[in-house]
Amino acid sequence: MDAEHDTKGSYVTKGQEFNRDTNYITDRILDDPQAEWPVEAGRYRLIAARACPWANRTMIARRLLGLEDAISIGMPGPTHDKRSWTFDLDPDGRDPVLGIERLQQAYFARFPDYPRGITVPAIVDVPSGKVVTNDYNQITLDFSAQWRGFQREGAPDLYPEALRAEMDPLIKLIFTEVNNGVYRCGFAGSQEAYEKAFDRLFTALDTLEDRLADRRFLMGDAITEVDIRLFTTLVRFDPVYYSHFKCNRNRLSDFENLWGYARDLYQTPGFGDTVDFEQIKEHYYIVHTDINPTQIVPIGPDLSDWLSPHGRDERFGGSPFGTGTPPEAPLPHDTVDPAHTAAAWT
């Protein structure tokens, strides 16, 4: 089961370790006119809830690469029921491009008997209204490799071929031990499973803390795909995972290097401007009723420190975009409500 963006209901199985269902729709949109799903500007719509870390990855990559004009975006609200994510933030509760109330409708348009949870991120073919893929692991890699013809001038190379041999094991570590590790803690079905998950998570965070002691970003002087993947967990750590998922050996702010690194990314265009802290908290504390049956959403923590100086640029030098340039400000539809950002706490 997929406790973050699956809509099937309860996520805790008594006495058992949490196991994520990783069976997704693995179709790909390819830079090949003969492909079933060819790259084509304006044809596809990314459905990505701000609350979800896996969807947040796609939002960041789309912004950094400048694909906003090529791939439109629809954003469900932060909560959902057992059936589906819904477009409750849009006028009349319908996605303005697809005309649907529930993401489930795009899945059923292609697979009438789709048996799995309705997940975000998902990419939908606008002309047919059918879901193409929900394989979040591959979507961002294909944004980098398959959509080059539509990337902005100055876009960073997020998945450099020369670094992949080193990056791929790090991507695996981050997914299994950190991205999924927090869920393994939060949805553990026994004390034994929880303690095992807890130790695995903080062992990995200690490893990453050490790695960031002598480099600005995970692969060196510039951001890459691995930074996107780690950031979306780190930015949710103190507001949600520390308390809601019982990941409470340390707060993120207790790690010197990880905390500075996370602030460095948050303050980088394309990262923090995709983060909606209120939607994040609403999603976890309202949807996960098996963990939080009262559905009370905490007011804190104080987020103002996300904007404090991190000093990593002065300490290590380098540039987030390498020889490239930052993206321009987000489009109005992509802009986070200012009241839901760290700036609202200053």
Side-chain angles (χ1 to χ4, degrees):
M1 60 185 162
D2 187 333
E4 173 51 40
H5 49 200
D6 194 333
T7 52
K8 285 191 170 182
S10 179
Y11 310 123
V12 176
T13 302
K14 187 175 181 180
Q16 295 185 15
E17 177 180 314
F18 168 72
N19 290 302
R20 182 175 297 279
D21 182 351
T22 55
N23 292 302
Y24 296 104
I25 303 167
T26 57
D27 288 22
R28 295 174 62 192
I29 300 169
L30 300 174
D31 187 15
D32 176 356
Q34 304 304 315
E36 180 180 5
W37 307 106
V39 166
E40 184 180 327
R43 176 171 174 176
Y44 304 101
R45 188 158 176 83
L46 171 66
I47 306 301
R50 291 196 186 279
C52 168
W54 320 98
N56 195 179
R57 289 183 187 180
T58 62
M59 291 178 163
I60 294 170
R62 175 177 170 269
R63 283 267 295 121
L64 295 178
L65 297 172
L67 294 174
E68 294 97 324
D69 290 337
I71 305 170
S72 67
I73 191 167
M75 288 181 273
T79 62
H80 57 69
D81 57 24
K82 291 183 179 180
R83 288 176 57 196
S84 179
W85 294 86
T86 58
F87 295 98
D88 49 293
L89 301 180
D90 289 308
D92 302 321
R94 292 181 179 272
D95 180 87
V97 171
L98 300 174
I100 57 177
E101 296 177 337
R102 292 176 171 273
L103 180 56
Q104 182 186 59
Q105 292 168 258
Y107 277 73
F108 286 176
R110 185 170 177 203
F111 305 107
D113 299 318
Y114 189 73
R116 316 195 79 84
I118 306 301
T119 67
V120 292
I123 296 182
V124 178
D125 176 51
V126 174
S128 67
K130 297 178 179 180
V131 66
V132 175
T133 179
N134 64 347
D135 187 356
Y136 62 86
N137 180 62
Q138 189 64 45
I139 287 172
T140 53
L141 298 178
D142 284 344
F143 281 178
S144 287
Q146 302 297 321
W147 289 83
R148 289 186 184 276
F150 297 96
Q151 293 174 12
R152 66 181 177 86
E153 185 176 354
D157 186 353
L158 296 175
Y159 194 46
E161 190 166 354
L163 297 178
R164 290 179 189 177
E166 183 181 356
M167 287 178 67
D168 289 344
L170 191 56
I171 284 173
K172 182 178 180 181
L173 171 75
I174 290 169
F175 171 73
T176 59
E177 305 304 307
V178 181
N179 301 150
N180 196 44
V182 291
Y183 291 93
R184 200 180 291 113
C185 289
F187 295 112
S190 70
Q191 185 71 32
E192 181 182 6
Y194 164 70
E195 292 180 5
K196 180 180 177 182
F198 185 94
D199 289 343
R200 285 180 62 178
L201 169 64
F202 282 98
T203 295
L205 289 175
D206 288 341
T207 297
L208 294 167
E209 170 76 359
D210 291 343
R211 183 180 180 92
L212 290 165
D214 61 3
R215 66 191 75 196
R216 185 170 176 185
F217 303 107
L218 285 170
M219 298 306 300
D221 292 338
I223 55 173
T224 62
E225 175 79 20
V226 291
D227 297 299
I228 298 174
R229 295 186 181 217
L230 181 57
F231 173 78
T232 58
T233 294
L234 296 184
V235 81
R236 288 161 173 77
F237 200 91
D238 287 0
V240 174
Y241 302 145
Y242 179 85
S243 55
H244 185 59
F245 280 175
K246 307 179 187 70
C247 301
N248 59 358
R249 194 200 77 179
N250 304 94
R251 297 168 300 171
L252 176 63
S253 55
D254 295 327
F255 289 94
E256 178 183 359
N257 299 320
L258 281 166
W259 176 225
Y261 162 82
R263 281 178 290 152
D264 192 358
L265 291 176
Y266 184 83
Q267 295 169 33
T268 297
F271 283 85
D273 55 31
T274 69
V275 175
D276 188 313
F277 284 110
E278 289 306 307
Q279 287 197 28
I280 288 168
K281 290 193 295 183
E282 287 173 12
H283 172 73
Y284 286 91
Y285 285 100
I286 293 174
V287 171
H288 297 160
T289 54
D290 40 358
I291 295 178
N292 187 41
T294 65
Q295 298 181 297
I296 294 171
V297 180
I299 294 172
D302 185 336
L303 301 168
S304 58
D305 281 353
W306 278 97
L307 299 176
S308 64
H310 52 78
R312 291 182 67 82
D313 47 351
E314 299 168 357
R315 180 179 173 189
F316 297 114
S319 169
F321 300 97
T323 58
T325 58
E328 295 186 3
L331 298 171
H333 181 61
D334 286 0
T335 301
V336 175
D337 184 339
H340 297 178
T341 67
W345 288 80
T346 58

